Amino acid sequence: MKKIVLMIVAMAVITLHAHAQKDTIKVKKIKKDTVARSLPSPISSLPFPVSDWDGAPLIGADATAPDYPLQKALGITKSKVKIYGWVDVGGDISSSKHSNAPTSYDLIPNSVFLDQVGLKFDKQPNTVQTDHFDYGFLSTTIFGTDYRYTTGKGYFSDQLLKHNNKYGVDPAEIYGLLYFPKVADGLLVKVGRFISPADIEAQWATDNYLYTHSLMFTVDPYTFTGAQATFKLGSHWQLEVGIHGGNDVAPWSKAASVNGLLMARWVSNDNDDSIYGGINALGAGKYKDNHDDLQMVVATWGHKFNETLHMMTEVYYMWQHDALVGGTVIDGPPQPFYTNVGAGSPIPGAAQAVGAVNYFQIKLSTHDYISIRNGYLSDPQGNRTGFATSYSDHTIGFVHHFNNYIRIRPEIRYERAYANGITPYDNGTKRDQYSAAMDLIVRF
């Protein structure tokens, strides 16, 4: 009897052990299968400029650029290094006569101008695979009036900060990429000068829903220089941790200050919702050497109603200490399109700003869509715009793609300031502004 009992116990142990091994194998298999390298793109591109929710770089998605005409003309279509660019020419009719500021990027009223010529050199690491380390890099240089917004102090910044030039050049992005597939579910490290998260709107004409920008985007950080690590955590989460020298400043500039970055991106199971937010700059937050050190808490929410309708919403809160009215100082000389030069009055304590914007998109065809944008900016001390007031801006635009390389973006817009007696528009003479604008983008 004792032998039988021992035999039964032994068989039970063996069975349980085998079952445990089977469960362990099953769990590992489930984990491997459910950690998707990339969820399907929720948005169609074309006609929209992007196909994924905000939060790039996306580990597990193929970010390799297509072969544009320049790549083909050079005969290097088999190269992993992609060379491409675009030309963006814009114009507007405005109720203002001299300046559309604080509107961007169509700064100059009732004229046609070169917004930006962009040139990219790009090699993306393969983050779809999980077998081996990979690397890449990206550089973006622009020339045009739009350099005035992307300029970082210390990066050829005398063009703007000392000379207030209409046109200029800016090496707005230049960074390396290191991909480690075995860390978490993938780790991508970015080192260099890169675009600050987490805007709906983008610095490059090719990546925007509309031609002009909301006021809240106009006055927030554009680039950081430092290091950012992006961790993929399962199918629906990414975490970003970084360190940088502050907004729109080179780390070797006297104006630089150490800031930390912590952002997270989540996508719902049905891929119809995404939230991307956190702190993109947190440090001393002290205005330094006539330059801003913006501290920022920001979040974007994307929602897809169906294949025809989707929207994006962004909110932020920014602050810094001991700043000046008008923010970073442009020493001059004044130009008709921008006269707000020289140092503004000191702002004791904390200068604050609150921004919000909603983009609502209607797909009309594979080449056309309508975008409706409503924005809000509160600038109570005038640190961001030079005028202590709150604003709203309202824009309706139509976008048509002639083909993969050429598109136009006509729009109409109305904006106004709300504080009594405050007139920010047309060099401080008007309370509101009407405009109709359009640009033409040609990729090469």
Side-chain angles (χ1 to χ4, degrees), residues 151-153 155 192-196 220-227 242-253 255-261 280-286 288 291-295 320 328:
T151 288
K153 191 168 187 176
Y155 292 107
R193 187 184 183 196
F194 51 89
I195 300 298
S196 63
D220 73 2
Y222 278 68
T223 65
F224 295 144
T225 302
I243 186 171
H244 57 81
N247 64 284
D248 308 303
V249 62
W252 50 83
S253 169
S257 297
V258 176
N259 281 264
L261 178 153
N280 75 4
L282 184 63
K286 189 172 177 63
K288 185 179 177 183
H291 187 80
D292 295 311
D293 184 21
L294 296 172
Q295 311 292 281
Q320 60 178 324
T328 294

Side-chain angles (χ1 to χ4, degrees), residues 54-68:
D54 197 13
L58 302 182
I59 297 174
D62 184 2
T64 304
D67 291 326
Y68 286 108

Side-chain angles (χ1 to χ4, degrees), residues 70 83-86 117-121 139-143 444:
L70 178 59
I83 305 173
Y84 56 100
W86 63 90
V117 176
L119 182 63
K120 281 183 179 276
F121 293 85
S139 76
T140 307
T141 302
I142 64 165
F143 173 82
F444 61 82

Side-chain angles (χ1 to χ4, degrees), residues 101-386:
T103 299
S104 67
Y105 286 168
D106 63 331
L107 175 64
I108 306 168
N110 306 304
S111 61
V112 177
F113 39 86
L114 177 63
D115 279 280
Q116 54 183 246
V117 176
L119 182 63
K120 281 183 179 276
F121 293 85
D122 181 8
K123 177 191 178 298
Q124 291 294 321
N126 181 357
T127 67
V128 176
Q129 56 83 24
T130 58
D131 298 325
H132 60 272
F133 165 83
D134 203 358
Y135 71 95
F137 58 84
L138 185 145
S139 76
T140 307
T141 302
I142 64 165
F143 173 82
T145 60
D146 295 353
Y147 94 100
R148 297 177 59 88
Y149 303 96
T150 63
T151 288
K153 191 168 187 176
Y155 292 107
F156 308 105
S157 54
D158 284 358
Q159 301 169 92
L160 175 64
L161 302 184
K162 289 189 177 182
H163 303 297
N164 198 21
N165 290 342
K166 178 179 177 180
Y167 289 103
V169 63
D170 183 32
E173 289 181 295
I174 180 166
Y175 58 79
L177 291 164
L178 305 173
Y179 172 57
F180 303 90
K182 304 300 183 182
V183 179
D185 294 308
L187 165 64
L188 190 61
V189 178
K190 180 189 299 184
V191 181
R193 187 184 183 196
F194 51 89
I195 300 298
S196 63
D199 290 313
I200 299 168
E201 300 170 62
Q203 282 70 5
W204 316 138
T206 52
D207 301 335
N208 276 290
Y209 284 113
L210 291 169
Y211 168 37
T212 65
H213 289 286
S214 65
L215 293 175
M216 61 99 72
F217 174 83
T218 301
V219 300
D220 73 2
Y222 278 68
T223 65
F224 295 144
T225 302
Q228 175 183 301
T230 301
F231 298 86
K232 183 176 178 63
L233 305 173
S235 303
H236 302 278
W237 287 90
Q238 279 194 174
L239 178 69
E240 295 175 356
V241 181
I243 186 171
H244 57 81
N247 64 284
D248 308 303
V249 62
W252 50 83
S253 169
K254 293 179 181 179
S257 297
V258 176
N259 281 264
L261 178 153
L262 181 62
M263 305 284 292
R265 180 183 188 268
W266 167 84
V267 179
S268 63
N269 289 331
D270 59 11
N271 209 15
D272 285 344
D273 290 277
S274 175
I275 297 175
Y276 177 43
I279 301 172
N280 75 4
L282 184 63
K286 189 172 177 63
Y287 191 90
K288 185 179 177 183
D289 194 34
N290 284 337
H291 187 80
D292 295 311
D293 184 21
L294 296 172
Q295 311 292 281
M296 187 175 184
V297 179
V298 59
T300 62
W301 168 45
H303 176 70
K304 178 181 175 181
F305 297 94
N306 50 47
E307 294 302 320
T308 301
L309 306 175
H310 75 272
M311 71 175 186
M312 296 284 288
T313 303
E314 179 182 353
V315 294
Y316 68 55
Y317 171 67
M318 295 193 300
W319 74 96
Q320 60 178 324
H321 300 281
D322 302 325
L324 302 184
V325 171
T328 294
V329 176
I330 298 175
D331 285 326
Q335 301 281 8
F337 52 82
Y338 194 82
T339 61
N340 190 21
V341 298
S345 301
I347 301 172
Q352 306 171 61
V354 175
V357 69
N358 174 265
Y359 274 81
F360 186 84
Q361 276 63 240
I362 306 169
K363 181 180 177 180
L364 302 177
S365 73
T366 56
H367 288 80
D368 305 275
Y369 69 87
I370 292 172
S371 183
I372 302 169
R373 179 181 66 211
N374 291 289
Y376 170 80
L377 173 67
S378 175
D379 187 16
Q381 290 91 20
N383 171 233
R384 306 313 307 133
T385 64

